[in-house]
């Protein structure tokens, strides 16, 4: 059972477009992370959000943690081909170190 | 350059054979995760350890999978006997747990024929 559902599953856009990826759950997370994975590699951390309502920006990427700490979004402004990859949200539950990943969003940005 | 090292990178084996995958976590990290990734199921948590003690292995098929940490520098994931449905990429990750970054290895691509 996947605790974290991401949408959309696949996204193909042109360079310069904006996009938003959503990560939703019925569970409350103590913190939530976003990772990006490229072919043949393991996921690499982009950001960690901890406080409900928190917004973090990383260049053209904006991450938001829902007020109830059950959902999150990733917004990319003016997407570039280098943004292509698999985007994964992941949540820590309770006081334990258990890190569960979402279903993933595969993004392709073309010229 | 600290990184998580997984061996082997690729493994092809016949159904029924034993498979052992190894992981060297980053020195000093106290939490180690094992994940399995497939197109259908995504990245599934199989087991994780803190300070070498197993905390949760509920994601693992108990009858054929086992995970251990013989010492702080080595984590192993064993499948015996292997089945074609075990074909996947297996990732090891290490970190300091709650709220901190999980550093991933490059994975072991397992094919069971």
């Amino acid at each position: 059972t996947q605790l974290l559902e991401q949408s959309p599953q696949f996204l193909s856009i042109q360079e310069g477009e904006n996009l938003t990826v959503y990560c939703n759950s019925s569970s409350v997370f103590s913190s939530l992370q976003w990772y990006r994975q490229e072919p043949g590699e393991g996921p690499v951390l982009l950001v960690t959000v901890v406080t409900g309502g928190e917004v973090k920006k990383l260049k053209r990427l904006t991450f938001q943690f829902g007020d109830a700490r059950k959902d999150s979004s990733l917004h990319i402004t003016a997407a570039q081909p280098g943004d292509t990859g698999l985007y994964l949200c992941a949540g820590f539950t309770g006081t334990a170190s258990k890190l569960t990943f979402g279903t993933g969003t595969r993004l392709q940005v073309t010229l | 350059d600290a990184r998580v090292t997984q061996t082997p990178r690729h493994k092809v084996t016949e159904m029924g054979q034993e498979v052992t995958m190894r992981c060297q976590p980053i020195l000093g990290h106290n939490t180690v995760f094992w994940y399995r990734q497939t197109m259908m199921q995504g990245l599934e948590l199989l087991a994780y350890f803190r300070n070498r003690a197993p905390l949760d292995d509920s994601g693992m098929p108990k009858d054929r999978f086992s995970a251990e940490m013989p010492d702080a520098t080595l984590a192993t994931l064993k499948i015996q006997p292997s089945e074609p449905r075990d074909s996947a990429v297996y990732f090891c990750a290490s970190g300091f747990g709650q709220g901190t970054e999980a550093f991933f290895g490059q994975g072991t691509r397992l094919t069971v024929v």
Side-chain angles (χ1 to χ4, degrees):
Chain A
T1 304
Q2 280 286 6
L3 292 178
L4 287 159
E5 295 288 336
Q6 288 184 235
S7 61
Q9 277 188 288
F10 302 97
L11 196 52
S12 182
I13 61 172
Q14 291 190 317
E15 182 180 21
E17 291 185 29
N18 301 333
L19 66 116
T20 302
V21 177
Y22 298 93
C23 173
N24 294 293
S25 175
S26 57
S27 302
V28 175
F29 293 96
S30 50
S31 62
L32 194 137
Q33 299 178 324
W34 284 91
Y35 289 76
R36 191 177 92 178
Q37 184 180 18
E38 299 189 22
E41 302 290 332
V44 176
L45 181 70
L46 295 173
V47 78
T48 300
V49 286
V50 178
T51 307
E54 182 176 2
V55 176
K56 278 193 175 179
K57 292 191 175 184
L58 185 66
K59 296 183 181 178
R60 293 176 294 100
L61 278 60
T62 302
F63 305 86
Q64 186 162 6
F65 200 11
D67 291 341
R69 291 187 288 129
K70 292 183 178 181
D71 55 87
S72 180
S73 64
L74 157 61
H75 183 78
I76 301 179
T77 304
Q80 299 177 358
D83 296 326
T84 294
L86 177 65
Y87 288 81
L88 296 156
C89 63
F92 282 98
T93 50
T95 56
S97 300
K98 187 171 185 175
L99 181 61
T100 304
F101 279 79
T103 49
T105 295
R106 198 167 294 277
L107 171 66
Q108 182 169 24
V109 183
T110 55
L111 293 170
Chain B
D1 186 23
R3 59 178 176 171
V4 175
T5 304
Q6 289 186 248
T7 56
R9 290 291 314 277
H10 302 272
K11 176 73 175 180
V12 180
T13 191
E14 290 186 345
M15 182 174 62
Q17 295 298 305
E18 177 178 298
V19 175
T20 298
M21 290 168 271
R22 293 177 173 80
C23 168
Q24 182 177 353
I26 293 174
L27 190 64
H29 283 179
N30 65 357
T31 305
V32 174
F33 305 90
W34 280 106
Y35 291 91
R36 174 172 64 184
Q37 188 173 38
T38 60
M39 287 296 292
M40 293 299 294
Q41 298 297 325
L43 201 59
E44 300 174 278
L45 178 64
L46 297 175
Y48 74 103
F49 297 77
R50 173 181 274 179
N51 296 323
R52 295 177 54 202
L55 288 191
D56 189 332
D57 61 1
S58 59
M60 235 166 38
K62 298 291 190 304
D63 56 338
R64 299 184 300 107
F65 284 59
S66 62
E68 296 180 345
M69 279 202 74
D71 61 62
T73 64
L74 177 65
T76 61
L77 180 65
K78 190 174 295 186
I79 308 174
Q80 167 63 17
S82 57
E83 297 180 2
R85 58 178 167 155
D86 300 329
S87 297
V89 181
Y90 290 81
F91 285 103
C92 172
S94 72
F96 292 108
Q98 182 60 255
T100 65
E101 179 172 3
F103 292 82
F104 281 77
Q106 290 188 293
T108 294
R109 181 174 294 276
L110 173 66
T111 303
V112 183
V113 298

